[in-house]
Structures are given as structure tokens and as C-alpha cells.
Amino acid sequence: MTQTPSTGLPRPTPQLDIDTEPFWTGGKDGKLLIHRCQDCGYRVHPPTTFCPTCDGRNVIPEAVSGRGTVVSCTVNHKQWLPGLPVPYVLAFVAIEEQDDVRLVTNITHCPAEDVHIGQKVEVYFEQAADIWAPLFKPVGA
Amino acid sequence: MEYAEKNTAITGIGQSKVSRGPQTKSPLSLTIDAALQAIEDAGLKRSDIDGMACWPGDRGDDGGMGPVGVPMLQDALRVHVNWYSNCSETAGQFGAIFNAIGAIAAGYCKHVLIYRTMYQATARKAGLTNASFQPGQKAKGNFAWYSPYHAYTAAVQQSLYFARYVHESGIKPEQVAMISVNQRRNASLNPAAVYRTPITLDDYFNSPIISTPLRIYDCDVPIDGATAIILSRLDCAKDGPNPVLRLEAVGSSMRYRNSWTQLDAEALATQAQPHVAEMMWSRTDLKPKDVDVAELYDGFSFHTINWLENFGFCKRNEAGDFIGDGSRIALEGELPINTNGGALSAGRMHAYGQVHEACVQLWGRGEARQVPGDPRVAGLSTAGGPLAGAFLMVRD
Ligand SMILES: [Zn+2]
């Protein structure tokens, strides 16, 4: 069965700002950077400089393990654009360190139909224009 | 506490031709068709309209999602208003109605013209429409988090919620299918619906998968069309030719994380609907069993399924059994839903098809698709993801 694509059609990319740039470019150094409150330890995502649990303002990017769990996933079969390889998997992954940090991603390196809720996955990065997109694959794949 | 919505009523409705094209009218012209019908239906003149509202306003793009802003329509109709507003960051498409309630309560206006216009059937012939972003463009806003992952449309993105709901509820595909099958049957009785040929379970299972578990028959249909309603202050509504359809209670809250990626754990499967319904029920003595007809948002079939639970018609994760073979939700059933065919078969009027149809049913104008038993209470809902709005409407 077809593997989900890690290459093919160029990925659209987000407009970066001061808060979001670390998340999207940490992969250059192999790091998944998530903002974290330096006072209470809560991770704030999407990234910004306010901690909603302790009102702290010292919230800065910090590397996490890159491991996570699939909390939902869908196998897309429709070719929305010419050249888009299908099928591929879109997923929400909760990072291992904090369940309420949910990353949108593609799951690759396994048959699309094998991806499932509860699956343990790990991050890798793929450069697209000026970002390094965090992607996930099954642990050990 | 006197809730302001109870002092408002829908007094007139109008709808342009709703079609898949090809088109002979502009979006503005379609909107005028709907607006003039609604004004006449309410027994009013253009000069009686003193407020205007819509969702989402002029989007300034070619996608057909928001082609007609309030200024364009106001100038075309040359109406003089005391208050006007568009709004897109609100409780789903019903935000326009909820804002108008406030405007009436504030004494700004007595008769608000509210409309929703779509031109997506024509727009999509020119490219991928309703897309969150396009290759080569820098993505901004909430959906930027999806941009590198080939999540071009709501169908793919929303399938993440649908998949989580299926996982938690164990709903069977043949139960999901009955939403589409039942609504197509209703559409076959509605001359204004865009798809009227009945479908079977086999047709559903032979239809293409878009993104698991979503099939094409689970998706609503992009159309060109406009729907308009007149929301009036209750004392003024009593002067009109139609029986008064009073708004009984609204739900407009946002008590979850307002995000398309970070919805709370519960809301990943339910979308942002439970607290919205909770707010609505807190403003009325009515109960779910009092609802005679339900017009529930169906941008995708599972939105309706979520709303069946979250509106309170059945318990969490039990919508599959509630739907069963479809008889309960049919026109003759105990809870008829989406009686005009909904957005799945009558076209994507973005919940304003539902508002129009609720009025049709409560006024007894449904003809071949009229719900039996003289329905007096309608339950309405809109939107998915972190967007949600709901209200009850009653004929006293
Ligand atoms: Zn903190």
C-alpha cells in the first residue's frame, strides 16, 4: 500500500511572526520548540508570551522530546490539486509532555491505513521554503 | 431576567433560485431577489427596514463565500438604516441574528434585514474554492497551522473531528449514511432543492471516500443562492400578515478554546456544541422533547449527528442508535430533521437554508414535505469546529 508522501507537491507555508518562528524553524537544528512558562512549566501552544495557568509572562521556546500520540487521524483520498500524491494522512498529535498541546501534522513512513488513534509517533522535519515542517512517523520506523 | 430574544420574531423569509449554475445573475442580484421577497412576505416596504446584518460580510476574494457585503446591498436597495453590521468572528452563521437581537433590544431598529449569499458554484469553476490556503501563498490566521500539511479544504480538516467522534461513539457507517439518505428523500419533495433523486444505502457506500471516514454524500453542496429573513421587534411583528415566530432562546457561547487545532479533549469529538446548547436551554422552560422539527447544521453529515446529541435529543455517543434505520428522523417521525433536504441536498445556504425551512414548517407552507401535526417549536443549529450557534423558535 502506498506510503504517505513526504515529498511531492510543494507544501504551502505559514506567515511567520516573532512568536511562531521558533516552532516552524527549530527543525533546522533538529528541535521541536514549544513555548513554555518558566514560572509554572505549562506549555503554551499556539505560542505566545502569556501563561493562562499562572499569569506568568516569562514564556519562551523550549525543546520537547518530539514523541507524541495520535489523537485523531484521517486518510485523505481526494486529489485536491494536480500533482498531489494520495492517499496521505492528516493527524492531530498530542505531545508526550502535555496532552493539550495538539500539533497538526502528516504521519508518514507507514501505510496510510495503519495510522490509528493512540499510536505512538516521533517527530522529524522537512524543509519547505523558510520553514522546517514537523512531521511524524511511527516510533522506530 | 427578561431575555432579549423573546422580544423578537421572524416575520418574513425570501430565497433566490438556488442552483449549481450556470448562472445568469450576479451575487448581488440573487441577494436582491431574496431580500425583496422577505420584505414583501413580512408585509413591509423597503422603507420599513431600519437595520441590516449578514454573515460573514464581503470577503473581498473570488471564492464565493462572502460575495455581498452590507454596504453593497444597502446601496442597491437604497434603504435607510439606524444600525448595520456584518460579523464573521461570532457564534457561527447565526451571529448575524444574535447581533440583530441586541440591536433591537438597544432600540436601534425594529425590522432587520438579515441575509446570507453564496456564489460558490460559479466560483469553483475557476479554481479550488473554499480552500484555507493555496500553494505558493503564505497562510495566515487560525488555519496557518494546517498549511504545510496539504489540508486544503474543510472536508479534510473536519474529518479529524469526524474520525475522533467515530472512534469514541462507535457509530456505524450505515447509521451515518441515514442522514444523507433521509435528507435526499426530503429533497425529493422540495422543488427548490438542487439534488432531488433519492439515494439508497448502496449508493452511499458506492460513493467516493473524500477523507476517511467522510464520503462525498456526507458533504454539503456548493451553490449559488441567497436567503433573507426579517427579524422584527415583537410588538411590530404582530402587525404583519404571518403568524408570529418568536425567538425563544439562543445559545451563542464560546467556553472552549476558540481554535481549529486546540479544541479541548471533549470538544474534539463533539465540536463546540455542548456549551452552546447548555446556554440555550438555560434561557427557556422548553425541553428537547418539546421540539417538533429540527433544522440542524449539515455542512457535513456528522455535524448533524453531533447536534442530535449536543442539542439534547439523545445522549452522548448514542446518535447512531437514535438515527437507527432513519424512521425517527423522517418527515413522519418523532423528530423530523432537515426537512427541505438540508445543505446536503438543497444546497449550502450555510444554516440560513435551515432558518428559512424552519419558518416554512412553522407556517405550514411545506406542501409535499410539510411535517404533520401542526409543528409549533423548531430547534435550529449552526456550524462546526469551534464555531457553534443554536436557537429555538416558537409559534405561540
Ligand atoms: Zn505559568
Side-chain angles (χ1 to χ4, degrees):
Chain A
M1 192 65 203
T2 321
Q3 296 219 337
T4 52
S6 60
T7 57
L9 198 70
R11 296 175 185 276
T13 55
Q15 181 81 53
L16 304 185
D17 70 14
I18 290 170
D19 286 344
T20 62
E21 186 176 352
F23 175 84
W24 289 116
T25 59
K28 186 178 183 181
D29 303 315
K31 289 181 175 166
L32 181 59
L33 298 177
I34 304 290
H35 272 54
R36 190 178 197 194
C37 175
Q38 300 302 297
D39 296 325
C40 77
Y42 183 75
R43 290 178 175 82
V44 179
H45 190 80
T48 191
T49 60
F50 173 71
C51 173
T53 63
C54 81
D55 290 12
R57 297 304 310 269
N58 187 13
V59 183
I60 60 174
E62 198 179 285
V64 292
S65 67
R67 290 186 296 274
T69 304
V70 174
V71 293
S72 194
C73 55
T74 179
V75 183
N76 178 75
H77 290 269
K78 184 171 168 67
Q79 190 174 47
W80 299 102
L81 298 165
L84 179 66
V86 292
Y88 59 90
V89 178
L90 184 73
F92 284 139
V93 166
I95 66 169
E96 183 180 76
E97 289 79 1
Q98 189 175 304
D99 183 63
D100 70 351
V101 173
R102 302 284 171 86
L103 307 184
V104 183
T105 192
N106 299 129
I107 309 288
T108 69
H109 294 65
C110 69
E113 64 273 20
D114 287 358
V115 178
H116 57 275
I117 291 171
Q119 187 172 18
K120 300 295 179 188
V121 292
E122 61 189 7
V123 76
Y124 71 102
F125 300 95
E126 184 181 297
Q127 187 177 2
D130 56 347
I131 70 154
W132 279 257
L135 302 171
F136 285 80
K137 58 183 182 176
V139 170
Chain B
M1 179 75 200
E2 184 55 43
Y3 296 116
E5 62 266 34
K6 297 181 198 296
N7 196 38
T8 67
I10 295 179
T11 49
I13 58 174
Q15 191 166 68
S16 73
K17 183 175 192 305
V18 174
S19 79
R20 301 275 288 156
Q23 196 49 260
T24 60
K25 289 193 172 188
S26 69
L28 178 58
S29 182
L30 291 172
T31 312
I32 293 169
D33 287 350
L36 294 181
Q37 264 185 45
I39 293 167
E40 184 183 3
D41 188 38
L44 300 174
K45 303 185 294 295
R46 270 188 298 148
S47 56
D48 294 318
I49 299 299
D50 55 4
M52 287 179 68
C54 79
W55 187 98
D58 183 355
R59 297 268 286 226
D61 61 29
D62 299 326
M65 171 85 161
V68 178
V70 168
M72 193 189 280
L73 182 63
Q74 186 190 355
D75 189 55
L77 297 179
R78 302 292 202 281
V79 290
H80 301 160
V81 298
N82 295 325
W83 174 85
Y84 60 102
S85 170
N86 69 42
C87 54
S88 57
E89 293 181 337
T90 178
Q93 294 82 353
F94 289 166
I97 299 172
F98 300 163
N99 282 0
I101 292 166
I104 290 170
Y108 296 154
C109 40
K110 294 186 288 195
H111 297 291
V112 184
L113 169 63
I114 302 172
Y115 67 96
R116 177 86 186 97
T117 304
M118 288 287 217
Y119 212 58
Q120 291 183 313
T122 294
R124 75 201 300 266
K125 294 184 171 74
L128 181 64
T129 61
N130 199 25
S132 306
F133 29 76
Q134 306 276 355
Q137 275 179 8
K138 285 290 184 189
K140 294 175 189 163
N142 242 330
F143 286 100
W145 296 99
Y146 286 90
S147 60
Y149 303 111
H150 304 304
Y152 298 101
T153 67
V156 191
Q157 185 271 326
Q158 297 270 299
S159 290
L160 290 172
Y161 303 141
F162 188 15
R164 182 75 197 191
Y165 173 74
V166 169
H167 174 78
E168 289 191 11
S169 69
I171 192 170
K172 300 184 182 80
E174 57 270 30
Q175 295 169 331
V176 173
M178 286 318 298
I179 296 290
S180 310
V181 170
N182 177 60
Q183 290 186 202
R184 184 60 65 86
R185 175 178 173 250
N186 295 346
S188 75
L189 303 172
N190 173 13
V194 292
Y195 287 139
R196 302 190 59 202
T197 308
I199 56 172
T200 63
L201 271 179
D202 283 345
D203 294 330
Y204 177 87
F205 285 111
N206 290 329
S207 72
I209 289 183
I210 302 298
S211 195
T212 59
L214 191 80
R215 290 179 182 273
I216 197 160
Y217 280 131
D218 294 308
C219 304
D220 67 358
V221 183
I223 49 90
D224 298 342
T227 299
I229 62 170
I230 310 296
L231 187 74
S232 302
R233 205 173 71 197
L234 191 61
D235 57 333
C236 307
K238 287 172 178 162
D239 301 334
N242 296 314
V244 170
L245 300 185
R246 193 172 50 74
L247 302 200
E248 167 67 14
V250 306
S252 62
S253 67
M254 171 39 69
R255 304 179 67 84
Y256 299 99
R257 293 188 64 182
N258 199 340
S259 166
W260 292 90
T261 59
Q262 310 295 322
L263 274 173
D264 307 53
E266 173 202 54
L268 191 55
T270 64
Q271 311 184 82
Q273 301 166 5
H275 288 316
V276 165
E278 193 178 291
M279 172 179 165
M280 180 186 76
W281 292 118
S282 76
R283 297 164 76 87
T284 179
D285 293 330
L286 295 180
K287 303 292 177 210
K289 65 173 172 44
D290 297 319
V291 174
D292 298 317
V293 57
E295 307 292 347
L296 306 175
Y297 187 70
D298 61 340
F300 299 102
S301 59
F302 74 94
H303 288 144
T304 304
I305 294 167
N306 275 174
W307 274 116
L308 283 172
E309 294 176 6
N310 297 326
F311 217 96
F313 297 125
C314 59
K315 293 199 177 102
R316 174 69 41 82
N317 295 330
E318 292 183 5
D321 289 339
F322 184 85
I323 294 163
D325 66 358
S327 55
R328 186 183 265 125
I329 59 171
L331 287 178
E332 315 77 11
E334 70 184 64
L335 184 72
I337 65 171
N338 295 341
T339 46
N340 67 340
L344 301 179
S345 289
R348 182 190 292 157
M349 273 310 340
H350 248 167
Y352 284 84
Q354 267 89 352
V355 178
H356 187 277
E357 178 66 8
C359 296
V360 164
Q361 291 293 339
L362 296 195
W363 280 328
R365 301 180 189 174
E367 299 185 351
R369 67 179 190 281
Q370 178 63 43
V371 167
D374 191 30
R376 304 178 74 91
V377 179
L380 298 101
S381 68
T382 192
L387 304 178
F391 69 94
L392 296 170
M393 184 165 67
V394 300
R395 177 164 52 83
D396 285 322

